Amino acid sequence: MANIYVANRQIVKPGDLLAEGDDAIAGSYTYKVGGKVYGTVIGLAEVKENAVSIIPLEGVVVPREGDLVIGVVVGVGVTNWFIDIRAPYKAVLNAGEAIEQFNPLTDDIRKYFDIGDYVLAKVLIFDRSRGPILTTKAKGLGKIVEGLVIDVKPSRVPRIVGKRKTMVEALTSLTNCSMTVAVNGRIWIKCPNSLLEDIVIRAIRKIESEAHIPGLTDRIRRFIEDEKRRAGIP
Amino acid sequence: MSGRPTLIGEDGLRHDNRRPDELRSIKMEVGVLKNADGSALVEFGNTKVIAAVYGPREPPAKYMLSPEKAIVRCRYHMAPFSTAERKSPAPSRREIELSKVIREALESAIFTELFPRSAIDIFIEVLQADGGTRTAGLTAASLALADAGIPMRDLIAAVAVGKIDGVIVLDIDELEDEYGEADMPVGMMPSLNQVVLLQLNGVMTREEFDAAMNLAVKGIFEVYRLQKEALSKKYMLYIEE
């Protein structure tokens, strides 16, 4: 029988003893040694029967294959772009993955994406030895030309999305803004007007700083409604 | 008396009125620097050390990289104003050595294999030196790593023990280090009961070493408790609001 020493949503720190027993399961950001499960980062504990995992409150996120990321073009080669995706690794976007019928002899790829452009892309290949290599060959991907992109802590992305996307739905339905949340902590927002834009940004900042306090979705919902009333938006 | 101060008084207390097994007053704060990914300020009495952590990130030169793990780069440095007499800001032999032992201690705690082809940079700056700077630096660096969200087996807590006038004492300061017979910094991962740093300057018998080690472990668990407290405090602030 596994002994669990932490409650759900409790703040845990590196080296905290979380669980003990041969059948205790070490989830993400934990490890097991000598039948004991320890935490490795500062975060919130998540207990599911015998398994303990941690939702980190700090740290970089290393994207995985298939993840949606928003990057900034930092370099242009002859057949590829170098893109900063806020990970420990610089991403590469090959021209063939962005342009139909790309011909390096006749095409100047600067015409498509130039330095400083924001690009919504998907991670195509990424493993321990190679990558990340991106692609924009899918619906909705490519250069971001309208709205605005804000940076948040990558560790806050799961809270901004919420369980079964509840938080994103609350944010978008209450403000009529559209939001694309990328795993690397960049959010693309398109709003009908600047007043709503301001409210959404302040709501996101509130989520960022209060990510570890329970009852967040309801608090954010109330916050947006209060702010809308104050700004005189129906 | 050729200017040698009394280290242990007749009442058994040390020159600063501490008992032999007493730590100095310790202060810790996490998240003190905005630009760093993680940071911590640690004070052991008059010793004051700040640590900053960056990464995991791309290093400036690719040749340094390892394909299987993150490389850890560590700089221990004493500020020119940290000592009574101005210290040259150029890295000394001693600082290079301490950077290495601190790096090796931290490497044993960090899960470097999670971030291949990247670098983790740790900067330890001694603002005020009054003995035990390497242990305060190591304590601060492990707090800063936790603040940066870098996965670690455990926090590292460290403290120096020593022998002065034949007495084994905890957390020695500059004066005791200078006139004492031995100085032994110890760093541990307390939850796992593993030693990650152990140095000894001076001479101790086997019995004295055992006593010193036991005293160090006792001190380390107290430092460890304060580290955990400092980490929680960063998140408590929001709850109280």
Side-chain angles (χ1 to χ4, degrees), chain A residues 87-116:
Chain A
Y89 315 99
K90 197 158 281 158
V92 173
L93 173 61
N94 289 319
E97 284 297 334
I99 308 164
E100 291 291 326
Q101 307 273 306
F102 169 66
N103 180 351
L105 293 175
T106 54
D107 286 345
D108 175 14
I109 65 166
R110 269 181 198 272
K111 279 193 299 196
Y112 299 92
F113 307 138
D114 206 347
I115 288 172

Side-chain angles (χ1 to χ4, degrees), chain A residues 54-75:
Chain A
I54 298 178
I55 305 166
L57 284 167
E58 305 287 344
V60 298
V61 168
V62 178
R64 283 178 289 198
E65 284 180 11
D67 277 349
L68 200 64
V69 294
I70 294 174
V72 181
V73 179
V74 290

Side-chain angles (χ1 to χ4, degrees), chain A residues 11 13-16 31 38-42 57-60 62 88-90 126-131 209 212-213, chain B residues 56 58 68 111 113 115-118 146-154 191-192 224 228 231-232 234-235 238:
Chain A
I11 291 186
K13 284 143 272 175
D16 279 1
Y31 71 106
Y38 294 98
T40 65
V41 291
I42 184 156
L57 284 167
E58 305 287 344
V60 298
V62 178
Y89 315 99
K90 197 158 281 158
F126 187 28
D127 53 47
R128 288 180 72 84
S129 62
R130 199 152 60 109
S209 64
H212 58 294
I213 309 171
Chain B
E58 270 183 296
E68 59 246 20
F111 285 95
E113 63 273 21
F115 304 101
R117 296 180 288 124
S118 69
D147 184 37
I150 294 169
M152 288 193 290
R153 287 176 179 83
D154 195 1
S191 286
L192 307 174
Y224 187 56
K228 293 256 167 119
L231 275 178
S232 334
K234 187 181 169 191
Y235 291 97
Y238 294 116

Side-chain angles (χ1 to χ4, degrees), chain A residues 156-181:
Chain A
R156 300 295 192 265
V157 167
R159 294 296 268 166
I160 292 167
V161 174
K163 266 194 189 138
R164 286 183 294 278
K165 294 192 175 177
T166 45
M167 188 70 88
V168 164
E169 260 155 38
L171 286 168
T172 51
S173 64
L174 286 170
T175 60
N176 292 324
C177 297
S178 80
M179 267 174 75
T180 306
V181 185

Side-chain angles (χ1 to χ4, degrees), chain A residues 108-168:
Chain A
D108 175 14
I109 65 166
R110 269 181 198 272
K111 279 193 299 196
Y112 299 92
F113 307 138
D114 206 347
I115 288 172
D117 284 347
Y118 278 96
V119 179
L120 181 63
K122 211 178 208 172
V123 181
L124 187 65
I125 304 168
F126 187 28
D127 53 47
R128 288 180 72 84
S129 62
R130 199 152 60 109
I133 293 169
L134 307 178
T135 179
T136 57
K137 267 189 184 168
K139 191 167 171 278
L141 303 184
K143 188 157 136 183
I144 294 173
V145 290
E146 54 174 342
L148 84 165
V149 174
I150 62 167
D151 283 16
V152 297
K153 274 190 184 175
S155 56
R156 300 295 192 265
V157 167
R159 294 296 268 166
I160 292 167
V161 174
K163 266 194 189 138
R164 286 183 294 278
K165 294 192 175 177
T166 45
M167 188 70 88
V168 164

Side-chain angles (χ1 to χ4, degrees), chain B residues 73 133 181 215:
Chain B
R73 300 189 294 172
T133 57
E181 291 112 69
L215 192 58

